[in-house]
Amino acid sequence: MTTDNWIVTCILVATIIAFLLDRFRLDMVAFVSLLALLLTGILTPAEATDGFSNSLVLMIAGLFVVGGAILESGVADLAGRWLGRLGGTSTIRLTVTVMLTSALLSAFLSSTGTVAVMLPVVLNLCRRAEVSPSKLLIPLAFGASLGGMLTLIGTPPNMVVNQELRDAGLETFQFFSFAPAGIVMLGLGIVFMCTIGTRLLPRQLPGAEGVTRKQGFVSRPELIHSYNVGDQIRKIRIPNGSTFAGRTLRDIGLRTTYHANALAVSTDSNRGPVVRKCNPETLLQPGDTLYIKSSNEDALQKLILDGQMKLVASSATLPKEVHLAELIIPPRSEFVGRTVRDVDFFRVYGAMVLALHDGNQPVTTRTSDTTLGPGDTLLIAANASALKRLSKARNNIVLVSEQEEESDSPLTPTARWVIMILVGMLIALSTGIVANVTAVLVAAALMVLAGAFRGSNVYQSINWESIVMIASVMPLATALEKTGTLDLVVSAIVESPGLTSPRALLLLLFVVTSLLSQAISNTATSVLIAPLALELAEQLGVSPYPLLMGVALAASTAFSTPVASPINALVTGAGGYRFGDFLKVGVPLQLLILLGTLAIVPLLFPFNP
């Protein structure tokens, strides 16, 4: 091996290790590896920046915009709820419905967006059917992953292998080329989850304290009880003569001195009580009723004594204007690693965090100092407008349950245009009348012009971490080819006596891709493995299509760990799953998809060129 071979190999290994450790942002890891290739002279500046102008990257960015428009317009929510009604009360029927719905949505939306839309729908279905969420949330996540196998745009790895064919000057896959194999894999997944899988899923969730571990997801009393905050919500009357009357919450030091959070103030009027949202400048008047959350009994007694106030109820019921809701922190959220105080939910969204659940137990004291992690659930109090803002912040938080019965989200006035543009894009992609990237970018532009987004929401709909990560990893594959490192790996595999069979080669590529996808991004995995598959096909004189299709299918089998994909982590907290739950269900399903791939892919895409 030459010096350049060693340099590229070291950079590749260091990048994979950094991905595995998951201590740094994926885009930063990929970008640093790109800089390393540039600074060591392995790549020229033009080669190093080629990924940022690649049509694949532009196409993925455009699809984020299209998917964001579908979410913003309410089309995805409506589709999820409409199909969710077909589930009935049977666990098997619910499993089939949930998996089919999530698969169909993820065939055209990102899998993370699909799960974010479907999560509250499935939780509501669980409540109605009295089924434990642990029986349906892993099927929801797995259905979204399997749905990515159905279309060209279902998941980035599909587009990566297609781009590899285009770069090699070969005929590319068509929009529905993935569908025959994908339908078989989805069918295998549904049958497995309805038979063996449902028996492997936890029958009863461990612990019963967190709302994410109960069946009543939208009942206000259960929300309060599940987070153990029932005895911390107090109702205090401010009588005439109170020393706090005529002063603001900031003036009396409600939060700083008495360690209490104000949730609402109710003022009597001729038309009945008027409930006001609290902020530091809220003015207290004689006769007002103050609703607070306090976990410090001594500070509470001091507050009542100093203010000459009256404790009306030590376990109060909040007024109907104060809505309770539950949020989940998704993976890659900007809030991961930050404390509740740092995020400042009240300033950003107008919501007060009452408690949180970290997967082990509720945290009701010193909540503001608690560091947030992926999968953590939060109980918040907010008004109706704040809940609308929260529901639109899917990249950082997912609103999964509210205190009242969920109602269908109304479609926005632009919904019909969104549907028409989407249908037009799908027709263009499936017929090939224009280049795929052209169809997607035109659709994205039309979505914006149609008014599907407001303000800068169009930029927020793009997952920039994924875009930068993909654009930065692609030159690493270029470096492997340029230095001959890829040829060395190919030669070692070709010269191996056990890998002369094309089916054995397909098996090897599937296993390697599937294993790597359990630990690092499936997109990054496919970027690295796809050139290897193409080179091996050329060296052995076999068709590259079955090998690349096998890589694409394997990249969508991130089933075995809660950190294998963002969607697994998203359902972990809501379903109360343990690491072992994914292993018990995911490993057999991966083996089943492997066998299905070995059986069906060579029939659909023969090895003979």
Side-chain angles (χ1 to χ4, degrees), residues 156-338:
N158 295 358
M159 292 181 277
V160 169
V161 299
N162 202 52
Q163 185 69 30
E164 196 66 32
L165 289 170
R166 179 177 289 107
D167 292 344
L170 300 174
E171 183 180 351
T172 58
F173 290 120
Q174 300 303 307
F175 187 76
F176 288 111
S177 295
F178 297 85
I183 291 172
V184 172
M185 303 311 158
L186 177 60
L188 290 175
I190 291 175
V191 171
F192 172 80
M193 292 306 303
C194 289
T195 53
I196 300 173
T198 190
R199 299 175 185 273
L200 298 175
L201 290 170
R203 190 177 298 272
Q204 188 171 4
L205 296 173
E209 298 301 326
V211 68
T212 57
R213 303 172 187 276
K214 298 176 69 68
Q215 295 176 9
F217 286 89
V218 292
S219 166
R220 174 185 280 218
E222 284 183 316
L223 278 170
I224 292 175
H225 172 73
S226 298
Y227 281 88
N228 291 346
V229 296
D231 59 350
Q232 297 182 17
I233 298 175
R234 318 301 177 101
K235 183 178 180 181
I236 299 175
R237 189 80 171 176
I238 303 174
N240 292 323
S242 169
T243 57
F244 288 165
R247 302 173 63 185
T248 66
L249 295 178
R250 186 194 303 277
D251 291 338
I252 68 176
L254 181 67
R255 191 169 184 178
T256 56
T257 303
Y258 301 104
H259 310 294
N261 291 319
L263 304 179
V265 172
S266 177
T267 302
D268 292 331
S269 69
N270 295 333
R271 298 182 179 180
V274 176
V275 178
R276 293 178 288 150
K277 178 182 174 181
C278 288
N279 60 57
E281 305 307 322
T282 298
L283 187 67
L284 302 179
Q285 299 289 356
D288 283 354
T289 300
L290 180 63
Y291 295 85
I292 67 170
K293 175 188 176 284
S294 173
S295 58
N296 190 321
E297 195 66 32
D298 292 337
L300 175 66
Q301 294 303 322
K302 180 174 172 50
L303 171 67
I304 295 173
L305 182 62
D306 291 350
Q308 300 176 8
M309 298 188 293
K310 180 182 179 181
L311 180 63
V312 179
S314 59
S315 182
T317 300
L318 290 168
K320 64 180 181 179
E321 291 83 357
V322 179
H323 297 263
L324 296 183
E326 186 183 20
L327 311 175
I328 289 182
I329 304 296
R332 309 303 173 195
S333 166
E334 293 178 2
F335 301 156
V336 172
R338 299 168 62 185

Side-chain angles (χ1 to χ4, degrees), residues 328-333 335-338 356-358 370-378 569:
I328 289 182
I329 304 296
R332 309 303 173 195
S333 166
F335 301 156
V336 172
R338 299 168 62 185
L356 62 85
H357 202 292
D358 61 2
T370 303
T371 301
L372 298 172
D376 286 355
T377 59
L378 285 72

Side-chain angles (χ1 to χ4, degrees), residues 44-108:
T44 65
E47 292 169 333
T49 57
D50 185 60
F52 291 92
S53 61
N54 192 284
S55 61
L56 171 63
V57 176
L58 296 175
M59 184 175 173
I60 292 174
L63 287 171
F64 276 125
V65 174
V66 172
I70 296 172
L71 295 175
E72 289 278 339
S73 64
V75 173
D77 292 276
L78 182 65
R81 285 184 169 85
W82 181 73
L83 292 173
R85 293 194 187 100
L86 302 176
T89 58
S90 165
T91 302
I92 299 301
R93 185 177 169 186
L94 283 169
T95 300
V96 173
T97 302
V98 166
M99 292 190 71
L100 281 176
T101 303
S102 63
L104 288 173
L105 286 175
S106 67
F108 307 103

